[in-house]
Amino acid sequence: MPEMNGFDAISKEDKERLALTGIQTDSLEGRAGSFLLVNDHVLHAGSNAEGVEVMMIDKALEKYSWLSEYCWKIVPKDKDQYTQYVADHPQRGYVIIARKGAKTTFPLQSCMFLQGDSIQAVHNIVIAEEGAEVHLIAGCASSFATKEGAHYGINEIYVGKDAKVTSTMIHTWGEQIEVFPRTASIVEEGGTFISNYVCMKPTKMVQMYPTAYLRGKGAVARFSGVIVAGPGSHIDSGSRAVLEAPETSAELITRAITNGGTIISRGAIIAHVPQTKGHIECRGLILKDGIMHAIPEIDGRVTDVELSHEAAVGKIARDEIEYLMARGLSEEEATATIIRGFLDVRIEGLPDALQKQIDDAIDSADHGF
């Protein structure tokens, strides 16, 4: 008997909204596994990939006693009021386990969907054992009918020896939704963690600062972010990498545009041991009066480290617009072309179809010009 599709409970209008986050709803073909949480109700959890499990966190903790060692290990319960709130409520969320050597042909997808004015509290754990490779598309959204609400999300990610985890988080929240993800990862020897974040829709508040701890020799972390903040939006986001073993490296890249909102773009690389490398790059455009605050930090604590950063905030140069207008484009078309080029960050590990979807969203987004 075919597995039931829990996405059938979502309205057509909201399915269209979920599509903006990269989530497939009508057909789960092309996905190695799926998880759907609506408010605090799990409507779908399953995997069709060999060696990969997708489970509700409460069921997973019952099934595997050893899993408790991974729960609240790198994100403490008492980190702040949001983590404590999640810890004080029943466990909701997923556990993904990719067994040794398992590799998914198609990406997994997880959907955190807020329906109604409420607080969604979530705790997710991802474990990639030695040599495993998984790509997770994490689509987070609220329904058209949801006016106010909040999402508190805890994410703990464990990348084993020579394993690779790619996480692509796409936010499509409502204009009055407040979002507080708390994410941390541990990357072992030869492992790679790639984190992509896309937020191009108006959101009242996003506050997040994911951290990757590179604890094994040769471990790698790469963070990429594409952010657009309109009037009323306050986006405080960034990423941090802690280099704790030789030959580890990290790259943090952000492209951000404000057309009236506030963006605080943070980035930090801390090198505790020699033979480590890191680079931070943040570029921002101010299209309308708003706030763009870039805070890059590099912290080398020993000799033989290579750390660098660059940050630039500005406006579209008039001569660039006039150059394109001289070649037949209208001012609006010229501006749109420049913005598309500015936001054109190739996201490593992203399926072609999803990369095209993000490109289309960039093309159609209201950038405020």
Side-chain angles (χ1 to χ4, degrees):
M1 175 179 291
E3 185 179 16
M4 291 185 64
N5 182 354
F7 292 89
D8 292 340
I10 305 297
S11 70
K12 180 181 178 180
E13 186 179 47
D14 283 336
K15 283 183 178 180
E16 293 175 355
R17 190 164 177 82
L18 289 180
L20 298 174
T21 69
I23 299 298
Q24 292 185 2
T25 56
D26 292 328
S27 172
L28 300 184
E29 293 184 8
R31 293 291 184 262
S34 298
F35 180 87
L36 171 62
L37 181 72
V38 178
N39 295 338
D40 61 353
H41 302 293
V42 178
L43 300 188
H44 188 99
S47 168
N48 52 30
E50 184 177 354
V52 178
E53 296 180 82
V54 179
M55 299 170 283
M56 299 162 55
I57 188 170
D58 54 342
K59 301 298 183 184
L61 287 167
E62 291 177 5
K63 183 177 181 180
Y64 299 118
S65 59
W66 54 264
L67 188 60
S68 61
E69 298 176 9
Y70 294 82
C71 191
W72 297 110
K73 178 180 178 181
I74 43 178
V75 179
K77 293 181 181 181
D78 59 355
K79 177 180 174 64
D80 57 32
Q81 68 189 82
Y82 308 109
T83 57
Q84 192 64 59
Y85 182 95
V86 175
D88 290 343
H89 286 75
Q91 295 274 20
R92 295 288 185 271
Y94 59 77
V95 171
I96 296 174
I97 303 173
R99 297 297 183 180
K100 183 177 180 179
K103 297 182 180 181
T104 58
T105 303
F106 298 106
L108 303 161
Q109 66 176 14
S110 70
C111 176
M112 305 298 157
F113 193 58
L114 190 61
Q115 203 171 55
D117 301 343
S118 61
I119 296 176
Q120 185 180 58
V122 179
H123 189 180
N124 305 315
I125 299 173
V126 177
I127 301 172
E129 296 181 353
E130 182 177 348
E133 292 187 14
V134 294
H135 185 174
L136 174 64
I137 298 171
C140 303
S142 57
S143 71
F144 280 101
T146 300
K147 302 304 180 184
E148 297 181 349
H151 171 87
Y152 304 161
I154 312 303
N155 301 285
E156 299 182 280
I157 302 170
Y158 299 87
V159 184
K161 180 180 179 182
D162 297 324
K164 182 178 181 180
V165 173
T166 302
S167 173
T168 299
M169 180 182 291
I170 304 175
H171 280 177
T172 309
W173 299 107
E175 295 183 9
Q176 295 300 317
I177 306 299
E178 297 182 334
V179 186
F180 300 93
R182 298 292 183 262
T183 301
S185 58
I186 292 176
V187 188
E188 303 293 351
E189 180 180 351
T192 300
F193 176 59
I194 299 174
S195 174
N196 308 309
Y197 176 60
V198 179
C199 181
M200 298 181 61
K201 298 296 182 181
T203 304
K204 181 179 180 180
M205 167 72 76
V206 176
Q207 201 277 318
M208 54 187 280
Y209 197 31
T211 299
Y213 298 94
L214 308 187
R215 294 188 174 169
K217 181 179 180 180
V220 175
R222 299 190 185 99
F223 291 87
S224 298
V226 178
I227 302 169
V228 176
S233 293
H234 184 105
I235 312 296
D236 185 342
S237 70
S239 50
R240 179 173 59 176
V242 184
L243 313 181
E244 300 179 337
E247 300 178 24
T248 54
S249 63
E251 183 179 55
L252 286 53
I253 298 176
T254 302
R255 296 288 185 273
I257 290 178
T258 175
N259 54 34
T262 296
I263 296 177
I264 301 173
S265 179
R266 305 176 189 270
I269 300 177
I270 304 167
H272 287 284
V273 299
Q275 302 178 49
T276 51
K277 297 180 180 180
H279 178 68
I280 302 171
E281 179 183 317
C282 176
R283 296 185 181 179
L285 281 180
I286 301 176
L287 299 186
K288 288 185 177 180
D289 287 344
I291 296 175
M292 180 77 69
H293 192 181
I295 311 174
E297 298 180 73
I298 51 176
D299 183 352
R301 304 188 180 187
V302 293
T303 59
D304 194 15
V305 300
E306 297 180 31
L307 305 178
S308 60
H309 74 75
E310 55 180 298
V313 175
K315 63 179 182 178
I316 298 176
R318 186 65 197 175
D319 59 346
E320 293 181 9
I321 295 175
E322 292 175 349
Y323 176 85
L324 293 174
M325 290 176 66
R327 279 150 181 77
L329 274 64
S330 68
E331 182 170 357
E332 183 173 313
E333 290 170 337
T335 303
T337 299
I338 293 169
I339 290 173
R340 282 195 297 270
F342 177 79
L343 292 176
D344 185 18
V345 177
R346 298 293 94 185
I347 297 179
E348 183 175 345
L350 205 62
D352 291 342
L354 185 55
Q355 180 68 64
K356 183 179 184 303
Q357 192 170 316
I358 292 174
D359 293 342
D360 291 343
I362 290 172
D363 288 345
S364 61
D366 177 11
H367 301 306
F369 51 80

